[in-house]
Amino acid sequence: MKINIRKAIIAFVILALVPTFYGCQSLMNIADAITNLERIKFKLDGVSNFRLMGIDIANKRSVNDFNLVDAANFADAMLSKTMMADFIVNVAAHNPNDGKGKTTSTLATLTSFDWRLYIDDHEVLAGDIARAIEIPGTGQTTIFPLGVRVDLMRFFGKQNLDNLLTLALALGGADGSAARLTLDARPTIQTPFGAITYPGRIKIVNTEFRG
């Protein structure tokens, strides 16, 4: 069962009026735990394992770094109007609930991460995590990968070959980054009180943690 975080908090506050089932302090602890889980934030942590038409571009900085065989493959791709890119988008999850300050050390288990990937504001793919991911309440950051396979020609086919290669290098080349990516996601976190889904979607970028 999935429940909205804010509705869950309200429900637990209401339950606080029924001491037959729970002590007031216990209910306050539950509400605090749910509030703490809502503070988990996410950030793009870069792109790795980028392959364009099966070619590893991790050590390439410009279009001049491709050889003649690569150029022939790209020319065929332009003719066939298909240029497949395979890569990993690494997502950083930060759980600040480490027991310090007013937080309670809380292990968060991410059971769903409904995501949509945007490149230069073009939605190119959607998906979810294949397995649950634990985010320990240690104040550290957990990195988890999202596998991506996308046909660049489908979304950027009006651009010339140099521009397509420049885009690929900007993402997965030697100087690449996630700066041109945006992840739109809605996490669901399992708790002892049920699965809690974030009340709204999050725009995840590479410049700051968001939640």
Side-chain angles (χ1 to χ4, degrees):
M1 178 184 65
K2 295 182 179 180
I3 52 177
N4 180 285
I5 290 177
R6 301 187 188 284
K7 288 182 179 179
I9 294 174
I10 293 172
F12 284 122
V13 171
I14 292 173
L15 283 175
L17 300 176
V18 190
T20 302
F21 296 98
Y22 299 99
C24 291
Q25 187 59 49
S26 296
L27 288 166
M28 289 177 64
N29 291 339
I30 292 172
D32 287 344
I34 293 176
T35 301
N36 286 342
L37 289 173
E38 192 178 19
R39 298 172 63 233
I40 295 171
K41 298 182 182 299
F42 301 88
K43 176 183 175 182
L44 295 183
D45 194 58
V47 173
S48 59
N49 299 344
F50 200 111
R51 302 186 73 86
L52 185 64
M53 299 295 294
I55 300 168
D56 185 356
I57 69 171
N59 63 342
K60 303 183 188 302
R61 286 184 165 81
S62 75
V63 295
N64 296 323
D65 291 336
F66 293 101
N67 58 39
L68 291 178
V69 175
D70 296 338
N73 287 333
F74 295 145
D76 288 343
M78 295 297 286
L79 290 174
S80 66
K81 300 187 183 302
T82 300
M83 184 175 287
M84 300 306 300
D86 298 270
F87 56 97
I88 300 294
V89 176
N90 296 299
V91 182
H94 181 64
N95 182 354
N97 307 303
D98 56 3
K100 298 178 181 178
K102 297 182 179 180
T103 67
T104 301
S105 183
T106 308
L107 170 67
T109 302
L110 192 65
T111 57
S112 176
F113 193 72
D114 172 23
W115 58 268
R116 303 168 190 164
L117 179 67
Y118 293 78
I119 302 177
D120 289 347
D121 296 325
H122 294 273
E123 183 179 346
V124 298
L125 195 65
D128 205 336
I129 54 176
R131 59 180 178 79
I133 297 167
E134 290 190 350
I135 310 172
T138 58
Q140 298 177 343
T141 298
T142 299
I143 308 296
F144 62 92
L146 301 178
V148 175
R149 180 172 174 81
V150 60
D151 182 1
L152 295 183
M153 287 289 289
R154 177 181 175 186
F155 303 98
F156 306 98
K158 293 183 179 179
Q159 300 188 27
N160 59 37
L161 178 57
D162 277 4
N163 287 341
L164 287 173
L165 295 180
T166 299
L167 170 61
L169 290 168
L171 296 175
D175 300 319
S177 75
R180 296 173 71 168
L181 300 180
T182 302
L183 204 62
D184 175 287
R186 193 175 189 191
T188 297
I189 297 175
Q190 184 64 41
T191 76
F193 326 112
I196 298 176
T197 299
Y198 274 48
R201 302 189 70 84
I202 308 169
K203 295 290 184 182
I204 302 172
V205 295
N206 73 324
T207 55
E208 62 180 338
F209 278 96
R210 295 182 177 180

